[in-house]
Every structure is written in C-alpha cells, then in structure tokens.
Amino acid sequence: MIDSWLAQDIDDWTRRVVRRHFDPETGTPYWLERAAELGLDPQDITRYDDLTAFGPMPLGELRTLDPVELVPKAVPRPLTGRVWDSGGTTGSPCRVYYTEPMLAHRAAWRRWVMEREGFEPGRVWLQATPTGPHLIGHGAADLAELYDGRVYGVDFDPRWVKRLLSAGRLKDAQEYTAHLIDQMAAVLRSQPVDYLVTTPALLQALIKAERTLVTGLKGVRLSGTHATPAMLRSFRQALGDGPIVLTYANTFGNTVGLPVENDGALMPYLPNYPQVTMAVVDKDDWSTTVGHGEQGQVRLTVLHEDLFLPNILERDQAVRYDTGEEWPCDGVANVRPLQVVRSAPEGIY
C-alpha cells in the first residue's frame, strides 16, 4: 500500500480527488454548496499547485459543520463510526469524520514506519496520551490489531491543562501532570512494558520523577508538543540505545519522523503522501512557499478520497526540508508553535 501511494503522481492524484468531491451526483455536500461562491470551475484544477485557487480553508466552519457534510455522497449513508476532534488550542475544536479507508491509510503508515524505526511486533506498550475525541487515542487499537501488541493506557485531557495555564493556575497544572506521572509509574513498576507512547513534555516529566523506570524501556514514540535538541539528548541519555522517535501529527493529517540530523539540531518529518502534504509558506503570504532550509508557517492539505481540505494554515512554524530523491514530496523540520501566549498555551500535548 505504501509503495503504491509513494508512486502516485501528485497532479494525477489531485485531479482524482477534486473530481470525486465535486461530482454533481456523488460529490461532497459542503464542496458542492461552496462551488458557486468559489469563482472557479473544479475542472480547471489540473495540478496540485492549482489548489491555491481555493484560498485558505476556513477552519471556523469546521467548528460547527456536521462532519458528514465533508464526506462524498458516494460513501453510503448513514455514516457510522467515530467523529474526531482537533485539540481546540485556539478555539472550539474542529471535527472530522474518518471513513474506514482513511483509518486504514493512517494505520498502514504507522505500521510501515514502526518497522523501519526498529520497534518489534508482539510487544507490550504503555500509551499515555489523550483518548476520547482525539485521534491519537485510536493508536492503541492500531498497536493491538496491526502490531500484535498488548497496550496499557493512561488518559489525559489536554484541554484541561491548557485551560489551567490560560488562567494562570500553574500550580494546578503541575499537580495534574504529577497525577499523570503517578499513573504511568504505577504501570511501569508493576507490568512488563517494552515501549512507551507519550508526549515529549510528559516524558521529560517522567524522567525527572522516575528516571530508572525510563531506563528500563526498550523505546519510545513521541507526539504532540515539540521537542528541542536538548530534550532529545536527555531522552537518549535516559533511555540508552532503544529507538526514540518523534512524530508530528494532528486530526487532519499525519507525518512520519525521519532520522534526526546534527545531534538533534534538525528534526525532519515526512507527510503521509499523497493524501497528506505539507508546505512551508511565507508567514505574510500563505501562497508563497519559502526556500529549502528556510522557516515559515506550515500549510497542510488533505487529499483523501473521502476528505478534501485544501490549504489549512497551521498554528505551527517549521523549516522546509528537502527530502531528496528518496521521497516524492517536501518534508517539514523543527516544528514549533508560531506563537505561545497565555490564550493558546501548549500545555503537555
């Protein structure tokens, strides 16, 4: 599956996805309704670069829209399954529905990359991440069903931590973090855990509180809050030679972590192509891509056959990463928030 996706021509794929979502009979209710106001003929979209004609995706609409309206009518109704929320850092959460092919795409990339990273199937995992409406929570099912794993879980609510920090209640936020660390430590002390899935911020707190428990792990996968080179070095010192993998993902699209370079000074990621692509654009002109090695704002485009979201301007900045001839698209590196303020704190995820 991955080989076939990586072999796709991005312009061919773009035409395929746009035609599906704008088909008058079986297309997507949201896009068919917006077609008239867009001032363009979807048949004129013949290249990936033409997608800028849609303008930035109005995320405010995803906060109130019924996610069913974003799914082509070609997918049989009624739709059954989970609706997933974004983190809600900068306002009310956005919501999207994942069809089975979309979940399969995400899972296939996860299994493929974990094999490359050196994680062994049939192992025991502890996943200390958000669950509930957050897509990362589905990762526990992926580990069990696709990687023959047995998975322990510790749940947390990232929105609660962000609310505490926004209100200046730092002591309460620290107490909540300590509560999570206590639960993680209880599992690690009593159960034969091989690998840990969590956030860089929580791993840092766990090392500070229970370093010997981290030393006993065979590897960690990290997603969520950004990591610095100093954090990465401290993780390596605590963990030893096991795989330490950073990922960058959200509800709309995922990446895989490529090997870090220059002792962690460069941390690159590859989008789950062709359904997910990322560009790094000028912060003052979202339609202009910066040069390789330059920093800008992350622009995400979702090109699933069952979900089309062009030009999402993320709240993150990154370096445009040249993936060379090995991969068919650009990557992003050294991702971090565009701005961290009390009204939109990072928290522990």
Side-chain angles (χ1 to χ4, degrees):
M1 293 171 69
I2 302 296
D3 289 345
S4 69
W5 292 328
L6 290 173
Q8 287 284 344
D9 177 83
I10 193 61
D11 292 334
D12 288 344
W13 185 260
T14 298
R15 288 191 291 271
R16 174 178 174 175
V17 170
V18 172
R19 300 298 181 270
R20 176 175 170 87
H21 284 273
F22 283 90
D23 184 283
E25 300 298 324
T26 61
T28 301
Y30 172 81
W31 287 113
L32 291 175
E33 184 176 336
R34 278 200 66 193
E37 67 184 60
L38 287 172
L40 59 87
D41 183 348
Q43 298 296 325
D44 293 336
I45 304 297
T46 60
R47 302 179 305 127
Y48 175 80
D49 290 344
D50 294 340
L51 293 175
T52 55
F54 286 94
M57 185 69 201
L59 291 183
E61 296 185 9
L62 301 188
R63 305 184 197 281
T64 57
L65 186 72
D66 181 349
V68 172
E69 299 298 297
L70 291 167
V71 180
K73 289 183 285 186
V75 179
R77 266 54 171 180
L79 298 180
T80 59
R82 294 291 303 274
V83 173
W84 303 101
D85 284 14
S86 68
T89 300
T90 57
S92 299
C94 300
R95 297 177 178 88
V96 293
Y97 176 87
Y98 268 56
T99 62
E100 286 300 320
M102 292 173 64
L103 290 172
H105 168 263
R106 180 178 180 274
W109 270 101
R110 283 171 60 84
R111 168 149 188 152
W112 179 83
V113 73
M114 285 168 63
E115 292 175 347
R116 292 171 57 94
E117 292 162 350
F119 293 95
E120 298 179 3
R123 295 290 187 167
V124 180
W125 296 74
L126 169 60
Q127 179 158 333
T129 67
T131 54
H134 305 283
L135 186 58
I136 190 174
H138 195 270
D142 292 338
L143 291 172
E145 297 169 9
L146 298 174
Y147 220 58
D148 301 325
R150 186 166 76 251
V151 188
Y152 295 89
V154 172
D155 179 36
F156 68 81
D157 182 356
R159 296 174 188 164
W160 178 240
V161 179
K162 292 171 183 177
R163 180 173 178 176
L164 293 174
L165 293 175
S166 296
R169 296 167 58 185
L170 180 59
K171 184 177 179 181
D172 290 333
Q174 291 171 334
E175 184 176 348
Y176 185 68
T177 301
H179 169 62
L180 298 175
I181 296 301
D182 287 346
Q183 294 177 76
M184 294 168 67
V187 175
L188 293 173
R189 283 198 196 95
S190 62
Q191 303 300 322
V193 174
D194 298 301
Y195 301 128
L196 172 67
V197 180
T198 192
T199 71
L202 270 186
L203 179 58
Q204 189 174 42
L206 180 63
I207 291 172
K208 183 177 180 180
E210 300 283 357
R211 187 182 184 88
T212 57
L213 296 179
V214 176
T215 303
L217 293 169
K218 294 182 174 66
V220 295
R221 297 193 92 243
L222 303 170
S223 181
T225 47
H226 75 285
T228 65
M231 291 172 70
L232 193 59
R233 287 192 293 270
S234 71
F235 298 161
R236 176 59 63 201
Q237 290 170 358
L239 197 72
D241 295 330
I244 299 174
V245 176
L246 301 169
T247 62
Y248 169 52
N250 60 29
T251 308
F252 303 124
N254 297 313
T255 68
V256 299
L258 298 176
V260 300
E261 302 175 16
N262 302 329
D263 195 28
L266 192 67
M267 305 179 196
Y269 307 94
L270 175 76
N272 289 179
Y273 179 94
Q275 291 90 337
V276 179
T277 59
M278 292 178 178
V280 180
V281 299
D282 189 301
K283 297 176 185 178
D284 298 318
D285 180 6
W286 69 270
S287 64
T288 300
T289 304
V290 303
H292 287 118
E294 296 182 1
Q295 186 170 269
Q297 186 173 8
V298 177
R299 186 184 74 203
L300 167 69
T301 289
V302 178
L303 284 169
H304 280 285
E305 291 178 293
D306 295 338
L307 182 65
F308 174 54
L309 301 174
N311 308 319
I312 296 174
L313 298 179
E314 296 280 25
R315 64 180 186 90
D316 299 316
Q317 60 184 326
V319 171
R320 183 184 177 193
Y321 181 75
D322 185 355
T323 57
E325 297 182 358
E326 184 177 4
W327 307 110
C329 65
D330 275 344
V332 297
N334 295 4
V335 180
R336 60 190 179 91
L338 269 173
Q339 186 179 24
V340 177
V341 295
R342 177 172 286 188
S343 62
E346 273 215 292
I348 53 177
Y349 186 68

